[in-house]
Amino acid sequence: MAATTTTTVTAAADNGGTNTISDFLKSSITDNFVNDIDLSKIIITMAISFLIGFFIYLLYKRIFSGVLYSKSFNVSLIGMTLVTSMVIIAINSNLVLSLGMVGALSIVRFRTPIKDPTDLIFLFWAAAAGIVTGAGFFSLAIAGSVIIGLIMFIFIKKSSFETPYLLVVNCDGDDSEKTLMEQVHGKVKRYNVKQKTVTPGNIELTLEVRVKEKESGFVNAISNLRGVKSAVLISYSGDYVS
């Protein structure tokens, strides 16, 4: 009889401990979600998201080195930061809404082509900044954006200090080609022969050149050389390995 009583008490104690742990887990989950959102929190979060998005906007405009600058794409970086923050605020406020939002966002597909890998970095940066800000980690969002911005500015802007050009020259023979190469060697910082096409009475050279302080006046001197038929300088956005 005593053994039966002890077993019952032990089982009840175990059952009570299990209920306590279960209740603790439930309360821990539900305490992180609220039905109402403080208006001041919304304003502060969206304001910080806007400032970070505007910082990304200014940096992208400052270091853009492509051919055609797209203002609409740049403005969309601000919008992405704000929209992402708003979604994260909603997810943090309601458990049911968070589950439904995850399912709804999983079916969204974006088909805008990204031509420059740098644009993809800015897109992920804007989305990540919005997520972190919406979650309430303001210090992380600000400090991380400043660090990323400095790194992007140093590496991208430094690589764009020397603008590459393609120089296409047509000359009539070996002597004029030799004179041409001597002129190019003295006028540019460095050059690389990309293509040479030889036809009867004509030699076409395509050179990738790095000019001195964006000075392109040397093309006039090259075009006046004896035996040079034409000289064309084209802006080139390709990569160069030194």
Side-chain angles (χ1 to χ4, degrees), residues 143-208:
S145 296
V146 171
I147 294 173
I148 294 173
L150 288 176
I151 294 174
M152 297 288 287
F153 181 82
I154 291 173
F155 282 91
I156 297 179
K157 195 61 180 177
K158 181 179 179 181
S159 63
S160 63
F161 282 162
E162 295 183 358
T163 304
Y165 291 93
L166 286 180
L167 177 63
V168 182
V169 182
N170 286 276
C171 54
D172 57 8
D174 295 337
D175 295 336
S176 58
E177 179 186 357
K178 182 178 179 180
T179 305
L180 166 67
M181 297 306 293
E182 292 176 352
Q183 185 77 10
V184 171
H185 182 73
K187 294 292 184 180
V188 303
K189 297 181 67 174
R190 59 179 181 266
Y191 66 91
N192 184 30
V193 179
K194 306 293 288 185
Q195 182 179 357
K196 180 178 179 180
T197 304
V198 180
T199 57
N202 185 72
I203 297 176
E204 182 180 274
L205 290 171
T206 302
L207 309 175
E208 181 181 9

